[in-house]
Amino acid sequence: VRDRETEGKAAALDRRASVALGRGLSTKLLVLTMLFVLIAEVLIFIPSIANFRLRWLEERLSTAAAVATVLVDEDASSLSRATQDDVLASLGAKAVAVRDEGMSQLLVAAEMPPAIDEHIAIEATSPIAAVRDALSTALWGGDRMLRVFGPVGDSTKEFELIIPDADLRSAMMVYARNVAILSLIISVITAGLVFWAINRMMIRPIRRMTHSMLAFSAAPDDPARVIRPDRRTDEIGIAQHELASMQGELQRTLGEQRHLAELGLAVSKINHDMRNMLAAAQLMSDRLRLIDNATVQSFVPKLVRTLDRAVSYSEGVLAYGRTQEAPPSRRRLRLAQMVDDVGEILGLAPEGDIEFVNAVDPGLEVEADADHLFRVLANLARNAVQAMQTDTESAVVKRLTIGAMREGTVSKITIEDTGPGLPKRARENLFAAFRGAARSGGTGLGLAIAHELVRAHAGTLELVETRGGRTIFEICIPDQPIALDEARKSIRRPA
Ligand SMILES: Nc1ncnc2c1ncn2[C@@H]1O[C@H](COP(=O)(O)OP(=O)(O)OP(=O)(O)O)[C@@H](O)[C@H]1O
Ligand SMILES: [Mg+2]
């Protein structure tokens, strides 16, 4: 059963790793190589046809020149009509002439001298003109009459040949067909070889890596699924090494995380029982207050306070351990009212020992989760109050100010105090749970939780400034997404 299961999993992996036929790298590579080789061949093909045409004409001209040289010695005009026609037929031409020191002499000619369509100076044809003429012959030729002329070999004479282009064109066509077939064969062979090489060198290792990644992600705790890198030093070798070390790293981290999670579970269980025990102790210590004894009464308040702190510590840890906060359910809130409430539960008043200033415009409304926002504000305000209470000098100004304003779609709330500022330890571990507590009795959870709650609103909580006498936290909550259509309408209306 086990075997079949693993087989089934392997098949599923294969399915994920496999790419639709014709969509894989190999096929793309094959097609591209063939295409590129073909393009290269075409670039060579056209000039080579032009060249073929010129060589063909040159060959005819030199044969004609050989005949003409013999004829010049004889008295050419004495040649009979029949002999002239035989010579011309064997050359496939209509006339042959020679020019020597400016004197032109027609040696043999057909009875009806034909009209000439194209003059070709063999020596003086530029490559571009050759390509152009070759294309013209190939596309539209076949019944044109050509006059070919130029020097032949080392001879000082210039020869001239009048010849129809039908034979030339069919020879060109045969040549072109042969070259095309050859090109195709070469491109297939090249593409095949390139494909084979690249497939071996790159595609296969890449596929192996893809496989390994998928296999690893299916069971990241199985050490057997970490890729074993090949012994190669190129880019793929490096990639394999990196992948292997990444997978190893991930495996270690996962192991640690599992340990931590188990530890966390144990802690929260212990903590839970501890809280119940502490609560019982708290009840008992409350009863101690009733005892009318000076010694007892001198330590009872301290005992009660210590127990209180222990219980709230336990509760804080328990609350943090609870898996996740519910996602915020936003309502429209009157912020000024909420800030007043925060001041009230912290026992603050405008004319207290710590001056509390609610600088929020009474009309300002914020869209947020009421419970979450309240907890965030209470945490930040409590921190400020606790920090300012440590100042024993009575002349020091102790003022907590909460202000707010709207900037476009974002509500900005600032919590400012005149306390001593955040200690180094708290600054370095800002918003990190348990790590930032720098005051005795602090859990180090307040800021972490506040941060998490604001983030759940897609907002930000930042420490803007902190020094002796001025500490500012800023909350930004994007709360009024602008409906685009509405905005457009409101822009158009005034115009
Ligand atoms: N406004 C402030 N002024 C000075 N120090 C501050 C201020 N706010 C926070 N701190 C420092 O940052 C530390 C971390 O704050 P945080 O609210 O996360 O934890 P805590 O207040 O120690 O414990 P808890 O809030 O969980 O009961 C505090 O211990 C305190 O030293
Ligand atoms: Mg706090």
Side-chain angles (χ1 to χ4, degrees):
V1 175
R2 190 75 207 255
D3 271 0
R4 211 177 301 149
E5 216 169 77
T6 29
E7 254 171 46
K9 271 184 197 157
L13 263 185
D14 277 344
R15 241 171 287 129
R16 273 173 70 192
S18 72
V19 200
L21 196 70
R23 290 289 177 86
L25 278 180
S26 328
T27 324
K28 283 181 194 160
L29 197 72
L30 188 67
V31 171
L32 276 184
T33 321
M34 271 170 65
L35 196 71
F36 291 157
V37 174
L38 272 179
I39 291 175
E41 303 263 0
V42 167
L43 288 182
I44 302 168
F45 180 70
I46 292 171
S48 90
I49 287 179
N51 193 43
F52 172 82
R53 175 172 175 270
L54 279 185
R55 294 290 85 75
W56 191 91
L57 290 171
E58 206 174 70
E59 216 171 83
R60 283 296 155 101
L61 190 61
S62 59
T63 314
V67 174
T69 315
V70 176
L71 290 180
V72 170
D73 267 3
E74 310 274 317
D75 185 7
S77 51
S78 68
L79 281 184
S80 71
R81 180 74 262 151
T83 319
Q84 283 197 29
D85 283 348
D86 276 352
V87 171
L88 288 176
S90 68
L91 287 171
K94 293 290 180 215
V96 178
V98 63
R99 188 197 302 242
D100 194 5
E101 289 161 4
M103 292 278 291
S104 198
Q105 186 184 358
L106 192 61
L107 296 176
V108 282
E111 244 170 329
M112 287 277 288
I116 289 166
D117 299 306
E118 196 179 335
H119 301 267
I120 303 167
I122 290 277
E123 287 290 272
T125 310
S126 72
I128 292 178
V131 167
R132 190 194 56 214
D133 293 349
L135 285 179
S136 146
T137 306
L139 295 178
W140 297 288
D143 48 10
R144 294 185 185 165
M145 195 56 70
L146 310 178
R147 173 174 159 262
V148 190
F149 56 96
V152 171
D154 294 333
S155 164
T156 52
K157 294 173 188 145
E158 209 175 69
F159 298 90
E160 205 174 305
L161 182 67
I162 294 174
I163 191 169
D165 72 347
D167 282 354
L168 170 64
R169 184 162 182 272
S170 62
M172 276 171 68
M173 286 308 172
V174 171
Y175 176 79
R177 197 194 56 212
N178 290 347
V179 173
I181 290 173
L182 198 69
S183 303
L184 211 64
I185 292 173
I186 290 177
S187 94
V188 168
I189 291 176
T190 320
L193 287 176
V194 170
F195 174 74
W196 177 80
I198 294 194
N199 213 17
R200 271 201 80 90
M201 282 189 318
M202 290 169 59
I203 312 265
R204 247 196 254 171
I206 288 179
R207 209 176 279 155
R208 199 163 81 82
M209 273 163 55
T210 317
H211 249 273
S212 159
M213 285 183 211
L214 290 174
F216 185 82
S217 74
D221 51 351
D222 181 0
R225 299 200 177 190
V226 174
I227 193 171
R228 263 179 292 280
D230 297 327
R231 237 184 279 131
R232 48 195 286 176
T233 50
D234 56 7
E235 287 85 344
I236 292 205
I238 296 173
Q240 285 177 345
H241 266 283
E242 285 303 305
L243 181 61
S245 71
M246 220 158 71
Q247 289 175 337
E249 193 80 13
L250 197 64
Q251 220 155 55
R252 263 192 302 284
T253 320
L254 278 177
E256 277 167 19
Q257 292 241 318
R258 210 181 31 241
H259 272 160
L260 281 179
E262 283 161 5
L263 202 64
L265 200 65
V267 167
S268 74
K269 273 188 184 143
I270 296 169
N271 206 25
H272 189 261
D273 292 347
M274 190 99 87
R275 187 195 52 184
N276 292 346
M277 290 185 246
L278 286 170
Q282 211 176 14
L283 271 182
M284 287 185 265
S285 66
D286 264 351
R287 305 252 297 275
L288 284 178
R289 282 186 217 259
L290 304 177
I291 296 175
D292 186 16
N293 176 311
T295 333
V296 172
Q297 289 311 320
S298 70
F299 70 75
V300 161
K302 277 187 205 146
L303 180 65
V304 169
R305 235 182 296 134
T306 312
L307 282 174
D308 266 350
R309 223 193 266 163
V311 169
S312 74
Y313 190 101
S314 294
E315 275 172 350
V317 174
L318 270 183
Y320 188 72
R322 247 175 259 135
T323 42
Q324 275 279 308
E325 293 287 349
S329 72
R330 293 188 186 235
R331 301 295 305 275
R332 211 168 245 275
L333 309 169
R334 241 175 243 116
L335 187 63
Q337 176 66 47
M338 181 172 277
V339 170
D340 273 342
D341 293 348
V342 168
E344 201 170 300
I345 73 146
L346 292 179
L348 296 172
E351 302 90 20
D353 174 30
I354 291 174
E355 193 184 329
F356 180 61
V357 180
N358 180 353
V360 179
D361 175 0
L364 185 75
E365 293 174 4
V366 177
E367 258 173 56
D369 185 306
D371 173 52
H372 289 186
L373 187 59
F374 187 84
R375 275 159 67 196
V376 171
L377 293 175
N379 261 318
L380 294 173
R382 190 180 299 119
N383 279 349
V385 168
Q386 285 164 348
M388 287 190 285
Q389 273 166 352
T390 59
D391 274 321
T392 44
E393 181 66 52
S394 63
V396 169
V397 175
K398 296 177 183 172
R399 186 186 301 127
L400 169 62
T401 313
I402 301 186
M405 60 175 168
R406 167 166 301 287
E407 270 186 9
T409 62
V410 177
S411 298
K412 273 193 182 170
I413 309 171
T414 50
I415 294 95
E416 182 176 346
D417 69 66
T418 56
L422 266 75
K424 187 157 177 282
R425 188 186 146 86
R427 262 180 287 139
E428 279 166 2
N429 296 294
L430 202 63
F431 308 131
F434 300 116
R435 261 180 256 155
R439 83 190 154 82
S440 71
T443 340
L445 278 175
L447 287 179
I449 291 174
H451 192 238
E452 216 168 83
L453 291 176
V454 175
R455 284 273 288 272
H457 282 78
T460 55
L461 170 59
E462 278 168 27
L463 174 61
V464 181
E465 192 178 344
T466 182
R467 57 184 164 89
R470 195 168 153 88
T471 298
I472 307 177
F473 280 93
E474 185 183 78
I475 307 168
C476 289
I477 295 184
D479 59 345
Q480 293 196 344
I482 293 181
L484 214 52
D485 288 343
E486 303 262 311
R488 287 210 185 104
K489 258 184 242 155
S490 70
I491 288 171
R492 223 171 279 148
R493 212 167 287 144

